[in-house]
Amino acid sequence: MHRFGRSAAVFFLLVLTSANSTEWQSAIHPQGAQAHSLANLFWLFTGVCAFVWLLVMVALGLALWRRQRGLASDPFEHDPRFERGATFVISTAGAATVTVLIVLTTASFLATSGMSDNGGEDMLSIHVTGHQWWWELRYEDTEPQRIFPSANEIHIPVGRRVRVTLSADDVIHSFWVPSLAGKQDLIPGRDKALVFSAARQGIYRGQCAEFCGLQHAHMAMLVVAEPPQAFEAWREVQLKAAAQPSDTEQLRGRDVFLGKPCVACHAIRGTAAGGKTGPDLTHVAGRHTIAAGRLPTSRGSIAAFVVDPQQIKPGVHMPRVDLSPDELNAVSGYLAGLQ
Ligand code: CUA
């Protein structure tokens, strides 16, 4: 009993601490209207199913108890009283099952229909493409010159509905930001849409939720929900070309970058680098993480990833580029300056 008490205390402590530390990635701590209706649905299903389970256990216990006490009648013996009782119990249970299924199906339909794209209102529109193993973003706009690319970090204004259009480049991925929205698969050749919003400022972690190969677990993203003015300021920065090198080392870093195979895969707007197979690096240092959430952004982590990507993300499609220590130093200095 004493041991049980201690285990229970540890369990509740874990539940409490996880409630605090995973608020930014937890479907049961929703931070937006759509996530709220999904969480309500989850609790409704859990409650109803727990109640049904309890009823079944009570009925089973009662039947076993009656059998043991010799009170139960033999089902193979013709007994009109028993048959009337059995008919009543079975038809009541059948009707209750149908009712419960209809209620749960309707609730599920109502909750998920709020998440589909019903057009009309002016939503922020972002095209998300899943790649092995990173997220390509394109912020849409009615004015073509205000469309810009980014990667792995989605900024949204608090309170505004966001429509993400989801495509996949290679295999099936799944877009899942538990605190803000439900899961939606990204299927090659078939675009999907998902609508969500954040009611509170914060950084919400998302994760690819469909096994998509070796680095599936390291295919994360962040959703940064910020006040509308801060979002607009961020958007203006993203629309700009990359920052110019501010010293000779960064200047050398840019020359090294442009002279190496880096440009075949990465774009840095404002330079000759226009590769499309890897993330756009125009403002790479302005994001919280690199390599789809693998490492926090810093000059050191950029250098570590560039010097040997396979060490940090085994299987990643980024090859190792031969760089001298001096070149590596210059390139990491340049990239770390791209705010
Ligand atoms: Cu992409 Cu799992």
Side-chain angles (χ1 to χ4, degrees):
M1 197 62 206
H2 178 67
R3 223 160 121 187
F4 170 77
R6 212 169 44 188
S7 313
V10 169
F11 174 76
F12 282 113
L13 202 67
L14 277 175
V15 169
L16 278 178
T17 48
S18 70
N20 286 328
S21 62
T22 59
E23 192 171 42
W24 58 307
Q25 186 185 318
S26 166
I28 53 172
H29 295 101
Q31 303 297 328
Q34 294 75 15
H36 256 291
S37 57
L38 281 180
N40 289 342
L41 195 64
F42 169 77
W43 289 117
L44 177 73
F45 269 71
T46 308
V48 169
C49 293
F51 182 67
V52 170
W53 181 80
L54 272 179
L55 280 186
V56 170
M57 287 301 122
V58 168
L60 179 68
L62 208 66
L64 288 175
W65 177 77
R66 277 164 57 90
R67 161 88 32 194
Q68 205 179 29
R69 303 287 299 263
L71 295 173
S73 39
D74 184 349
F76 298 106
E77 222 171 72
H78 182 68
D79 175 355
R81 211 168 54 92
F82 169 77
E83 275 180 11
R84 266 201 307 281
T87 309
F88 174 74
V89 168
I90 289 169
S91 46
T92 310
T97 305
V98 170
T99 313
V100 165
L101 285 180
I102 289 174
V103 167
L104 291 183
T105 308
T106 312
S108 173
F109 171 77
L110 291 177
T112 47
S113 66
M115 263 150 269
S116 55
D117 178 9
N118 45 18
E121 140 205 17
D122 173 35
M123 284 189 266
L124 176 67
S125 186
I126 307 168
H127 194 114
V128 176
T129 307
H131 297 269
Q132 283 176 320
W133 291 276
W134 61 285
W135 305 90
E136 179 187 349
L137 311 176
R138 191 178 69 227
Y139 278 71
E140 308 286 18
D141 203 286
T142 45
E143 296 171 49
Q145 72 274 19
R146 291 186 63 79
I147 296 174
F148 64 87
S150 188
N152 303 324
E153 187 168 302
I154 303 178
H155 284 242
I156 61 169
V158 166
R160 184 163 166 206
R161 294 217 298 161
V162 181
R163 181 206 299 113
V164 285
T165 311
L166 303 164
S167 348
D169 180 49
D170 33 42
V171 297
I172 299 178
H173 303 273
S174 184
F175 182 92
W176 193 32
V177 187
S179 303
L180 300 179
K183 279 179 206 168
Q184 180 68 66
D185 281 2
L186 292 80
I187 299 166
R190 194 173 163 195
D191 285 7
K192 300 269 194 169
L194 187 70
V195 172
F196 66 89
S197 59
R200 265 184 27 194
Q201 196 177 328
I203 299 180
Y204 306 103
R205 192 177 181 279
Q207 169 67 43
C208 177
E210 179 76 43
F211 182 72
C212 55
L214 213 50
Q215 286 299 319
H216 157 69
H218 292 141
M219 188 169 167
M221 83 196 92
L222 293 178
V223 175
V224 180
E226 50 200 357
Q229 310 90 297
F231 170 75
E232 286 308 328
W234 173 84
R235 174 146 72 174
E236 291 311 314
V237 170
Q238 299 300 307
L239 282 164
K240 290 198 183 109
Q244 290 297 320
S246 62
D247 54 32
T248 48
E249 187 186 51
Q250 288 191 357
L251 200 61
R252 170 149 166 70
R254 186 177 70 179
D255 290 344
V256 170
F257 187 94
L258 295 177
K260 294 283 179 183
C262 316
V263 291
C265 299
H266 294 286
I268 297 181
R269 282 173 281 141
T271 74
K276 293 280 174 224
T277 29
D280 184 291
L281 300 179
T282 310
H283 299 288
V284 63
R287 307 198 273 262
H288 289 81
T289 64
I290 61 162
R294 183 67 186 94
L295 293 172
T297 305
S298 71
R299 183 172 176 175
S301 59
I302 290 174
F305 192 58
V306 171
V307 75
D308 193 358
Q310 300 300 325
Q311 193 69 36
I312 308 280
K313 238 179 141 164
V316 70
H317 296 324
M318 176 159 152
R320 216 181 108 173
V321 174
D322 270 331
L323 295 171
S324 69
D326 165 61
E327 287 171 333
L328 176 69
N329 194 35
V331 161
S332 61
Y334 171 58
L335 292 176
L338 297 179
Q339 292 285 333

